[in-house]
């Protein structure tokens, strides 16, 4: 931590000028609200250090902290009173424990909930000691909750149900690795819909099917992500088609879904984002059915798992029908040059293109992209049979290109990449990474987040789905994208406070008691 | 453009901002309206070109500080449609907050007082950037803040369940 960095003192300007101590508190005249605004732009480590500066900073940092992340080991219960005496405005709380440590229990969660009536977002990570009763307490005290995210906890569907019933504003629900869903009797009579829900994510769940009636009963649902959840999901997709027509984003990964499910899904004509990852039963026919009706599709990610069941036919349907396509990621799919040509000529706004593990994507295909994709900004090629010749072809085309990433393409040399980058006056970044070779690296890379495209890319190849398995990788990736999002939220979340600030400034102003600020110059 | 007044001759409405040290800044309504505080005030009292409203400002906003705020408001009243679009505007913002720490804090205060939200964002971000990754001692040193914790207190806060906060 930074406290130990006092040796860096020499970096800052001297406080002693001409032998006379010139200590002036520059912040003395800064209103608390402004100080709080500064704190809003700092991360939690910096905030923690700021709180140690002086009493005033400690107090301001305390009441202005909206977001708190606590280690939820059982002993946290002892320090709760002190924590919530200092941070009394928390609206976004994360309680994170590790699986090997005893977490806080229901009593603790109830205490937290009672102290945070304005809680808008609650994240629970690996809090193994929580049961449905703890979640019921959340539902009782935090009726304004908008987001619930649960990962690696042990309570059951009743706990989720209690929150859904008690929090009528809940918009986002994310359930990952929840271990208490086994008991079929405990999943009976669950709430069958919530008008407020806009986003549902279910990941690595055994018996996730118990939430199917809920999903089908959310008329305002926009985003649905189902990842590695066991069971046949076609019935849900068919059910949704009739009742949840406004879905905009759908992510199906390692699921049992077939073409008939996709065909049903095509009723959702507002669909803009489709991610179909390792769903071995989906074929060209299913993709074509979706493409045929969902003409608004902007982002499509397909991981065909090298099964060759999705190929030219489905992709050509996309190319013909979805002219607004901006982002296309193809992994383990082998499109022919004829298909790529059609795609490049019809989808004029294609900005992001990624091909990974495509045996058919060679130099002539790159040349085709170069000559036809005028809007392309980012191109990513991994494990494809391309060479320097293909990279050279890019130099002549794609005028808007800003980033090219090449990985595991032995035919491409660093010199060639440098030449390409050099040809664009610094406007284009070209990155070439060689074949790491080692099996461990390959394995780890299997879930490396597909950077700018924001998808967990799995190039592991032969690995079969392990449904309801616990703790697959990918956590790091999703975390990083999340923290970026939180940073943004932190900035926008300040408007409320600012209003108070202006109100108080005006009050002081109109009272004629203009700030008595001692000049510090 | 303005709310609350009508100029029969179509002349541009002006408002005069007067600092405590006696300097006057005459600005048009589009510029003044960048400030929520002034906009509110002027929607009630109005202003005109022949007889512009004079608004006195508190002593803490010196003419040097107000100059910065007015510069920001004028530029943003003109918007991104002029002089190179949004990119140039962003660059302008960036350069505007390249200030000494005392000036930066004063402009922060003025932006808060006058309710210029984007400027307040800019300056507070700049202050935050300045102290990012500094140790406690460095932050104190940088701003000249003298700790009023007793040694005991500071020890307690420092040791307060260090594992509890991630």
């Amino acid at each position: 931590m930074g406290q130990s960095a006092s040796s860096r003192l020499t970096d800052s300007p001297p406080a002693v000028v001409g032998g006379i101590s010139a200590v002036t508190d520059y912040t003395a005249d800064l209103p608390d609200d402004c100080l709080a605004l500064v704190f809003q732009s700092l991360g939690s480590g910096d905030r923690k250090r700021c709180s140690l500066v002086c009493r005033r900073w400690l107090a301001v940092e305390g009441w202005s902290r909206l977001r708190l992340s606590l280690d939820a080991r059982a002993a946290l219960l002892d320090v709760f009173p002190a924590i919530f005496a200092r941070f009394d405005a928390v609206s976004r709380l994360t309680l994170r424990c590790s699986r090997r440590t005893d977490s806080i229990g229901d009593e603790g969660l109830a205490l937290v909930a009672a102290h945070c009536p304005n809680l808008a977002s609650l994240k629970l990570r690996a809090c193994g000691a929580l049961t449905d009763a703890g979640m019921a307490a959340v539902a009782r005290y935090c009726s304004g909750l908008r987001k619930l995210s649960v990962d690696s906890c042990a309570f059951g569907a009743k706990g989720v149900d209690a929150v859904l019933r008690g929090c009528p504003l809940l918009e986002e629900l994310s359930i990952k690795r929840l271990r208490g869903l086994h008991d079929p009797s405990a999943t009976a009579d669950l709430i069958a819909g919530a008008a407020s829900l806009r986003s549902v994510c279910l990941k690595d769940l055994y018996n996730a099917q118990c939430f199917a009636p809920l999903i089908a009963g959310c008329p305002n649902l926009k985003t649905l992500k189902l990842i590695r959840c066991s069971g046949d999901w076609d019935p849900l997709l068919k059910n949704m088609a009739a009742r949840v027509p406004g879905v905009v984003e759908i992510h199906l990964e390692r699921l049992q879904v077939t073409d008939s499910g996709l065909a049903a899904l095509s009723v959702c004509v507002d669909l803009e984002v489709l991610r179909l990852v390792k769903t071995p039963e989906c074929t060209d026919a299913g993709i074509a059915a979706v493409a045929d009706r969902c003409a608004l599709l902007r982002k499509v990610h397909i991981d065909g798992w090298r099964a060759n069941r999705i190929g030219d036919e489905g992709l050509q349907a996309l190319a013909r029908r979805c002219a607004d396509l901006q982002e296309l990621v193809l992994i383990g799919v082998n499109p022919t040059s004829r298909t790529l040509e059609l795609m490049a000529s019809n989808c004029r706004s294609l900005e992001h293109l990624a091909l990974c593990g495509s045996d058919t994507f060679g130099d002539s295909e790159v040349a085709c992209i170069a000559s036809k994709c005028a809007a392309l900004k980012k191109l990513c090629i991994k494990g494809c049979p391309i060479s320097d010749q293909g990279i050279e072809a890019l130099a002549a085309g794609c005028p808007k290109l800003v980033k090219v990433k090449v990985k595991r393409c032995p035919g491409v040399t660093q010199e060639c990449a440098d030449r390409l980058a050099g040809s664009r006056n610094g406007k284009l970044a070209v990155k070439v990474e060689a074949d790491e070779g080692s099996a461990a690296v390959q394995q780890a890379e299997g879930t490396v987040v597909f950077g700018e495209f924001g998808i967990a890319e799995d190039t592991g190849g032969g690995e079969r789905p392990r449904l309801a398995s616990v703790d697959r990788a990918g956590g790091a990736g999703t975390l990083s994208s999340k923290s970026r999002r939180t940073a943004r939220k932190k900035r926008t979340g300040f408007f409320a406070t600012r209003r108070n600030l202006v109100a108080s400034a005006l009050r002081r102003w109109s009272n004629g008691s203009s700030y008595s600020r001692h000049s510090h110059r | 453009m303005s709310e609350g007044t009508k100029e029969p001759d179509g002349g541009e409405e002006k408002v005069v901002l007067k600092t405590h040290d006696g300097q006057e800044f005459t600005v048009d309504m589009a510029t003044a309206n960048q400030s929520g505080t002034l906009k509110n005030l002027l929607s009630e009292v109005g202003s005109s070109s022949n007889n512009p409203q004079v608004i006195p400002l508190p002593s803490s906003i010196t003419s040097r500080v107000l100059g910065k705020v007015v510069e920001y408001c004028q530029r943003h009243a003109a918007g991104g449609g002029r002089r190179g679009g949004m990119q140039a505007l962003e660059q302008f913002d960036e350069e505007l907050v390249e200030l000494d720490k005392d000036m930066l804090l004063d402009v922060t205060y003025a932006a808060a007082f006058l309710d210029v939200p984007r400027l307040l964002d800019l300056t507070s971000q700049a202050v935050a950037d300045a102290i990012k990754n500094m140790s406690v001692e460095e932050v104190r040193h940088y701003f000249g803040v003298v700790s009023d914790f007793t040694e005991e207190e500071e020890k307690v806060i420092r040791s307060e369940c260090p594992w509890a906060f991630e």
Side-chain angles (χ1 to χ4, degrees):
Chain A
M1 288 243 96
Q3 286 98 318
S4 59
S6 48
S7 58
R8 286 194 287 139
L9 260 176
T10 43
D11 295 348
S12 40
V16 176
V17 180
I20 307 156
S21 171
V23 174
T24 316
D25 186 346
Y26 290 102
T27 64
D29 305 320
L30 197 69
D32 287 352
D33 298 306
C34 287
L35 197 56
L37 193 56
V38 171
F39 292 158
Q40 300 285 342
S41 303
L42 292 170
S44 78
D46 280 318
R47 287 190 72 127
K48 193 181 167 190
R49 287 189 283 280
C50 283
S51 66
L52 281 159
V53 164
C54 64
R55 286 189 182 156
R56 177 185 169 219
W57 284 43
L58 177 74
V60 171
E61 201 278 321
W63 64 248
S64 67
R65 177 97 73 140
L66 305 178
R67 190 178 290 274
L68 199 58
S69 184
L70 300 173
D71 181 334
R73 68 182 77 180
L76 184 65
L77 194 57
D78 303 332
V79 291
F80 266 149
I83 289 175
F84 287 106
R86 187 168 141 201
F87 305 107
D88 53 3
V90 173
S91 69
R92 293 166 188 275
L93 180 69
T94 302
L95 296 173
R96 190 188 307 270
C97 200
S98 79
R99 219 162 298 127
R100 267 163 263 109
T101 319
D102 284 341
S103 78
I104 57 159
D106 294 336
E107 185 195 355
L109 189 60
L111 200 63
V112 169
H115 271 100
C116 304
N118 299 322
L119 208 60
S121 164
L122 177 65
K123 293 183 186 175
L124 300 171
R125 300 282 181 270
C127 296
L130 295 180
T131 75
D132 293 340
M135 297 311 289
V138 170
R140 193 160 57 245
Y141 292 115
C142 308
S143 58
L145 201 67
R146 287 171 187 273
K147 179 176 177 179
L148 176 68
S149 169
V150 173
D151 195 334
S152 307
C153 291
F155 58 85
K158 288 285 186 215
V160 176
D161 186 66
V163 172
L164 282 164
R165 288 179 199 270
C167 307
L169 302 176
L170 199 74
E171 290 174 8
E172 266 187 81
L173 179 64
S174 167
I175 307 174
K176 299 174 182 172
R177 295 171 276 262
L178 190 63
R179 296 193 294 274
L181 299 178
H182 299 265
D183 182 4
S185 68
T187 56
D189 306 322
L190 296 180
I191 192 167
S196 59
L197 270 183
R198 300 177 70 82
S199 164
V200 172
C201 174
L202 304 178
K203 185 172 176 182
D204 291 325
L205 296 180
Y206 178 85
N207 198 17
Q209 296 271 340
C210 68
F211 294 117
L214 166 70
I215 295 169
C218 296
N220 298 311
L221 197 68
K222 298 284 178 232
T223 301
L224 176 65
K225 296 179 182 176
L226 299 172
I227 301 165
R228 290 190 294 265
C229 290
S230 54
D232 178 5
W233 290 93
D234 278 350
L236 171 65
L237 294 182
K238 286 173 190 163
N239 232 336
M240 278 176 64
R243 299 170 61 195
V244 194
V247 173
V248 171
E249 176 170 357
I250 208 150
H251 185 165
L252 306 172
E253 181 169 344
R254 294 201 178 183
L255 286 187
Q256 187 183 335
V257 284
T258 69
D259 287 344
S260 81
L262 289 183
L265 187 68
S266 69
V267 173
C268 303
V269 292
D270 294 332
L271 199 66
E272 292 178 22
V273 181
L274 174 67
R275 290 178 177 179
L276 205 56
V277 178
K278 297 187 168 67
T279 51
E281 287 164 78
C282 294
T283 72
D284 278 331
I287 301 284
V290 173
D292 197 40
R293 298 181 73 169
C294 305
L296 299 179
L297 274 173
R298 285 185 301 112
K299 297 185 180 183
V300 174
H301 293 206
I302 296 173
D303 183 341
W305 220 356
R306 298 180 191 271
N308 276 331
R309 304 189 75 175
I310 296 173
D312 284 334
E313 205 183 308
L315 296 176
Q316 285 182 15
L318 277 174
R320 281 197 201 93
R321 305 287 302 178
C322 307
D324 294 334
L325 210 61
Q326 288 170 1
E327 183 174 309
L328 180 66
V329 175
L330 298 174
I331 302 170
V333 177
N334 294 320
T336 62
S337 49
R338 157 107 190 81
T339 299
L340 285 168
E341 205 177 325
L342 193 67
M343 195 70 89
S345 352
N346 283 8
C347 306
R348 312 300 300 204
S349 40
L350 196 65
E351 290 179 1
H352 297 181
L353 177 65
L355 282 123
C356 195
S358 295
D359 302 331
T360 51
F361 193 74
D363 288 335
S364 60
E365 283 73 22
V366 180
C368 167
I369 299 291
S371 65
K372 297 211 161 143
C373 292
L376 201 67
K377 288 182 180 164
K378 293 182 181 175
L379 176 65
C380 180
I381 302 169
K382 295 187 184 183
C384 296
I386 60 163
S387 71
D388 281 352
Q389 208 186 332
I391 297 302
E392 266 156 19
L394 281 175
C398 302
K400 293 188 174 168
L401 212 55
V402 292
K403 195 169 180 181
V404 173
K405 196 169 169 184
V406 179
K407 209 167 177 179
R408 292 198 312 281
C409 300
V412 178
T413 61
Q414 185 66 50
E415 295 72 46
C416 180
D418 293 344
R419 269 204 304 281
L420 174 60
S423 70
R424 296 283 177 101
N425 298 327
K427 285 180 181 160
L428 172 61
V430 184
K431 198 172 165 193
V432 176
E433 281 173 40
D435 192 351
E436 288 86 355
S438 106
V441 174
Q442 293 269 350
Q443 187 81 25
E445 204 184 82
T447 39
V448 162
V449 166
F450 214 15
E452 56 273 33
F453 298 98
I455 186 176
E457 170 216 8
D458 193 330
T459 52
E463 197 188 3
R464 302 306 296 180
R466 286 192 297 168
L467 289 171
S469 71
V470 183
D471 189 29
R472 303 274 291 103
T478 39
L479 262 181
S480 76
S481 76
K482 239 172 242 167
S483 60
R484 239 175 293 129
R485 219 176 314 136
T486 44
R488 215 178 319 129
K489 274 188 199 154
K490 228 186 306 183
R491 309 253 342 126
T492 51
F494 198 75
F495 283 95
T497 326
R498 177 178 300 134
R499 207 146 288 140
N500 295 340
L501 170 66
V502 170
S504 68
L506 271 175
R507 220 177 304 123
R508 274 171 283 195
W509 195 14
S510 59
N511 287 345
S513 62
S514 75
Y515 274 39
S516 60
R517 285 174 30 120
H518 29 97
S519 172
H520 49 246
R521 245 171 238 108
Chain B
M1 203 187 300
S2 77
E3 300 169 14
T5 56
K6 287 179 192 75
E7 285 289 283
D9 57 354
E12 203 169 355
E13 302 156 64
K14 300 277 187 190
V15 58
V16 176
L17 307 174
K18 191 174 175 187
T19 61
H20 198 71
D21 48 353
Q23 285 232 34
E24 295 190 348
F25 290 74
T26 306
V27 299
D28 57 27
M29 290 301 279
T31 302
N33 280 340
Q34 294 287 313
S35 150
T37 310
L38 294 178
K39 188 175 178 179
N40 262 336
L41 199 78
L42 291 167
S43 71
E44 279 167 29
V45 298
S47 190
S48 70
S49 54
N50 327 336
N51 186 20
Q53 192 76 33
V54 178
I55 298 179
L57 295 173
S59 61
S60 44
I61 303 177
T62 62
S63 51
R64 191 164 160 243
V65 172
L66 186 62
K68 276 284 166 199
V69 179
V70 166
E71 191 186 344
Y72 173 90
C73 290
Q74 280 173 339
R75 184 69 173 85
H76 279 257
R82 218 180 59 178
R83 281 192 273 167
M86 292 314 287
Q87 219 169 353
L89 199 62
E90 270 169 37
Q91 194 178 344
F92 166 85
D93 287 352
E94 225 167 89
E95 286 165 9
L96 188 83
V97 294
E98 283 173 7
L99 299 167
D100 301 340
K101 60 189 165 192
D102 55 342
M103 186 66 180
L104 190 58
L105 290 174
D106 284 353
V107 176
T108 304
Y109 169 80
F113 184 86
L114 291 169
D115 184 21
V116 190
R118 281 273 303 120
L119 179 59
L120 187 56
D121 274 346
L122 279 173
T123 54
S124 49
Q125 180 70 52
V127 176
D129 288 345
I131 59 173
K132 214 166 260 178
N133 295 325
M134 275 190 189
S135 71
V136 180
E137 289 76 11
E138 284 169 324
V139 175
R140 282 180 190 150
H141 195 71
Y142 184 75
F143 285 128
V145 179
V146 179
S147 169
D148 50 1
F149 290 123
T150 62
E151 218 170 285
E152 199 91 315
E153 277 177 328
E154 190 170 336
K155 225 168 87 186
V156 170
I157 302 169
R158 272 188 196 263
S159 64
E160 213 172 54
C161 47
W163 48 264
F165 306 99
E166 293 189 320

